[in-house]
Each structure stands twice: as structure tokens, then as C-alpha cells.
Amino acid sequence: MASSSSSFTFFRRLLPLCSSKQRAKFSPFSVREGLGGAFRGFSSVSSPEQKISALKEEVRRLEDDSSVPDDEIEKIRREFDAAKQCFLKIPDALKRMPKMNPQGIYVNRNIRLDHIQVYGFDYDYTLAHYAANLQSLIYDLAKEYMVNEFRYPEVCMNFKYDPTFPIRGLYYDKRRGCLLKLDFFGSIELDGCFYGRRKLSVEEINEIYGTRHIGRDQARVLVGLMDFFCFSEACLIADMVQFFVDAKLDFDASYIYQDVRKAIQHVHISGVVHQKILLDPHRYIVKN
């Protein structure tokens, strides 16, 4: 009896939501929120038919309960019928909702398109998708520039781009010369720390950084290598560091970054990479 009384009391809380005095305020959203949200036994993801069936079972259960007065049962039935009609009208209400124009243009700020004379589109990896050969081209052109302009040793011309080495989202430590892959919390991943082309062990990482977590002070000397064009840059930095390590020559890790960065920028700004692409577009651009 206590359970029936509790359920009946809980059900009566729904009655004002479906009363005849408030029928004009009904909407598909208010019905869903009132009946699906307030009635504990009905899931918010249930279909209207499932909710109607559950309400019908509740009415039948209350009819079998002799402790509930007949006038209360009749009132509940009227409210149930009103709620049922609201549920049945939901599909029609959705059909009457205005549909978005699939050919329309939607922006999050006011702009007069009739005042715009020129439209621009991002080219790289938007209008044009590049093949893996492009990374080798950028790598080779930057390598040649470093040898010819910055007087790096001629042996550096033998370097080859390794497509299996770089990944997106790397950081370069300009103070220590390490390439790092950090996780969401700013900690060095176990397989994500390279000095030149050699992967460092956890013990070596702790010896260099004291901990795997990169603090605010240490982060100031990191530079991000985030996009696709940074693949060739990351590989060239690692190869240059490895060259000086193998030759047992002292070097400044920040100068290596600056030289590689300047060489990469020259390749793009001078237009030399675009000239090479135009000479053999099928080799460097993916047809889509």
C-alpha cells in the first residue's frame, strides 16, 4: 500500500503539466520534459509510443487499487488522454518546423555579402591535397639551401627524408635539442622523446628533464611542429642534430632550429617549391 500511495503521489505531480487549463501551453518540448523528465520510470530517450504505453499501464494499476477514489481515477484518465493527444501531435509539429536551406550560407556574425568583391579559399590541404613526395621535395630543397647558404658540411647533401620518422604534434626543445611528443597533461610520452634520430629511454628522459612532466619554465623553450608541412622540418632538425652528435662536434640546438626554420621559409616564400610542383603536378598533387 505504501508503494502504491507513493507512486500515485508521484504521478499526481504530472497532472498540472497536462491539465486542461494548460493545454494551450503544450509543445513537443514541454511534454518531453514534463513526462519524460519528471516520471522516474520513463527514459528520456523513449519513443512517444513507449511513454503512452507506460502511462496506460500506470492508469490501469491505479484502477485496480481500491484505495484510490473513482473521481481521482477519472481525473487521471482525462489527463492521460490529454497527454496522449499531445504525444500524437508531436510528429505533425515537427513536420511544420521550417527546414534549413541546404544551399544556404550561414555565418555566426553579421556580414553584407553583397559588399564582398573577392572570395578567398585556403589552398594547401583544402583545395589542393599533396602526395607524400612533397615532404621529400621540401626536405631536399631546404637541405640544399642550408649547405649552399649557411655553409653546412657537404656531407649533409646525402641526407634523405624518412617518411616513417616524423608525426604531427611534435615539440622541439631549443635548449636541449630533443624532439618531444607530449600527452594531454603536458608529460613526455614514453616512446616520444628523440635526441637526433635516437629514442631516449625513460631513465635518460628523467636525467635530462628531472621528470616526464614539462613545467611552465621548460615549456618556454619549446616550439611546436604541428601541421603537415612540419614533417620535413622535424626530420631535417633531427638529422642535423644526429650529424653533430655522430661527428662529436659541439653545437647550439637553438641555432639548428633557426637555420632549418629559415631554410624551410625560404623554400616556401621564394616560390621554388611551387615551381617544382608545377613542373610535375602529378607527382606532388593528389587528384580529387
Side-chain angles (χ1 to χ4, degrees):
M1 180 64 69
S3 176
S4 299
S5 176
S6 175
S7 299
F8 178 66
T9 302
F10 198 74
F11 184 75
R12 289 194 62 184
R13 295 177 186 173
L14 305 178
L15 298 183
L17 296 174
C18 303
S19 65
S20 57
K21 296 179 181 179
Q22 298 185 3
R23 287 176 189 173
K25 299 181 181 179
F26 261 112
S27 71
F29 305 101
S30 63
V31 172
R32 182 180 63 187
E33 182 179 356
L35 296 177
F39 208 82
R40 183 169 51 188
F42 309 142
S43 170
S44 60
V45 297
S46 299
S47 65
E49 292 79 7
Q50 290 174 325
K51 292 183 179 181
I52 290 173
S53 177
L55 280 172
K56 187 180 295 184
E57 290 297 325
E58 182 68 13
V59 171
R60 290 175 180 172
R61 190 185 65 79
L62 292 174
E63 287 178 337
D64 296 336
D65 189 349
S66 59
S67 64
V68 181
D70 292 340
D71 58 339
E72 290 290 345
I73 294 178
E74 183 61 27
K75 183 178 180 181
I76 292 173
R77 179 169 290 281
R78 289 197 304 269
E79 302 300 340
F80 163 73
D81 291 337
K84 179 179 178 180
Q85 292 301 317
C86 292
F87 275 120
L88 295 177
K89 291 179 181 178
I90 287 178
D92 293 334
L94 292 177
K95 291 179 181 178
R96 290 194 296 269
M97 292 179 63
K99 294 181 174 60
M100 297 181 66
N101 181 7
Q103 297 181 344
I105 299 176
Y106 304 92
V107 296
N108 57 4
R109 57 177 295 179
N110 295 329
I111 183 172
R112 290 289 301 273
L113 294 180
D114 56 338
H115 292 172
I116 305 300
Q117 297 180 349
V118 178
Y119 294 88
F121 297 90
D122 184 57
Y123 186 79
D124 296 325
Y125 292 102
T126 302
L127 296 181
H129 293 264
Y130 297 104
N133 293 325
L134 179 67
Q135 300 295 339
S136 297
L137 175 63
I138 296 174
Y139 180 96
D140 291 339
L141 293 174
K143 172 188 64 179
E144 293 173 5
Y145 187 82
M146 293 181 69
V147 172
N148 296 331
E149 299 297 328
F150 298 152
R151 303 307 179 190
Y152 274 71
E154 287 288 338
V155 68
C156 295
M157 293 294 292
N158 297 327
F159 294 169
K160 299 295 182 182
Y161 174 72
D162 181 4
T164 65
F165 178 73
I167 59 175
R168 292 185 66 180
L170 295 177
Y171 289 89
Y172 177 67
D173 187 338
K174 294 188 296 181
R175 179 183 299 165
R176 301 173 181 86
C178 296
L179 279 173
L180 310 173
K181 178 64 175 177
L182 305 181
D183 62 17
F184 180 79
F185 301 99
S187 297
I188 303 173
E189 295 187 358
L190 294 178
D191 294 329
C193 184
F194 282 77
Y195 186 63
R197 297 298 294 271
R198 186 175 68 87
K199 183 175 69 174
L200 300 184
S201 64
V202 176
E203 292 75 18
E204 289 175 312
I205 294 174
N206 291 332
E207 182 180 352
I208 295 173
Y209 292 97
T211 175
R212 285 177 51 212
H213 182 72
I214 299 298
R216 183 176 300 177
D217 293 337
Q218 294 174 324
R220 292 192 178 98
V221 297
L222 301 184
V223 290
L225 305 172
M226 298 298 173
D227 59 33
F228 288 110
F229 285 115
C230 291
F231 284 7
S232 51
E233 183 176 356
C235 190
L236 187 54
I237 289 174
D239 287 342
M240 288 298 178
V241 170
Q242 190 63 51
F243 165 75
F244 284 103
V245 171
D246 293 341
K248 296 181 173 55
L249 297 174
D250 293 333
F251 65 96
D252 190 313
S254 64
Y255 285 151
I256 289 182
Y257 170 75
Q258 292 176 15
D259 290 344
V260 172
R261 185 61 182 163
K262 289 177 181 178
I264 294 289
Q265 288 179 340
H266 168 77
V267 168
H268 289 284
I269 296 175
S270 66
V272 60
V273 67
H274 303 96
Q275 295 172 7
K276 296 289 186 179
I277 293 174
L278 291 175
L279 291 176
D280 193 359
H282 298 288
R283 177 178 174 81
Y284 301 110
I285 298 180
V286 177
K287 185 177 181 180
N288 55 18

